[in-house]
């Protein structure tokens, strides 16, 4: 269950941006939709084992230090342009 859940979460994280200014679905801005999608993805992987997924949520999401630094730079640049 743990391995399949992590694999489903990684797949979901590659399909959606962390944050979105365009109001598109994002990991941070569309929590309920992402949780529903994650539950569905995990359920699909665990059907063969006869496991029923009742709920799935992202409780903590952290990026590698390099990616987090690049995201912060982008956010700061956006704030400067907006100012």
């Amino acid at each position: 269950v743990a391995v399949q859940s992590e694999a489903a979460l990684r797949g979901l994280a590659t399909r959606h941006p962390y944050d979105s200014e365009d109001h598109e679905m994002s990991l941070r801005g569309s929590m309920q939709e992402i949780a529903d999608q994650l539950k569905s993805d995990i359920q699909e992987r665990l059907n063969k084992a006869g496991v029923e997924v009742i709920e799935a949520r992202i409780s903590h999401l952290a990026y590698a230090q390099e990616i987090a630094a690049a995201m912060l730079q982008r956010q700061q640049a956006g704030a400067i342009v907006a100012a």
Side-chain angles (χ1 to χ4, degrees):
V1 171
V3 170
Q4 293 301 326
S5 297
E6 183 175 345
L9 176 59
R10 288 178 185 269
L12 182 72
T14 62
R15 293 193 311 263
H16 299 289
Y18 174 75
D19 207 2
S20 174
E21 297 174 12
D22 304 349
H23 302 293
E24 68 177 304
M25 190 181 295
S26 67
L27 298 175
R28 188 174 140 196
S30 308
M31 289 185 278
Q32 187 58 51
E33 293 89 346
I34 293 295
D36 293 342
Q37 214 172 62
L38 179 60
K39 177 186 174 209
S40 175
D41 290 355
I42 295 171
Q43 184 64 65
E44 185 178 321
R45 291 172 168 270
L46 297 178
N47 274 337
K48 292 178 185 174
V51 175
E52 180 184 357
V53 178
I54 297 170
E55 183 180 24
R57 297 200 177 274
I58 298 175
S59 60
H60 177 77
L61 185 61
Y63 286 92
Q65 187 175 5
E66 303 82 26
I67 295 172
M71 289 172 64
L72 179 60
Q73 268 186 323
R74 179 178 173 218
Q75 184 181 33
Q76 289 172 337
I80 289 170
V81 168

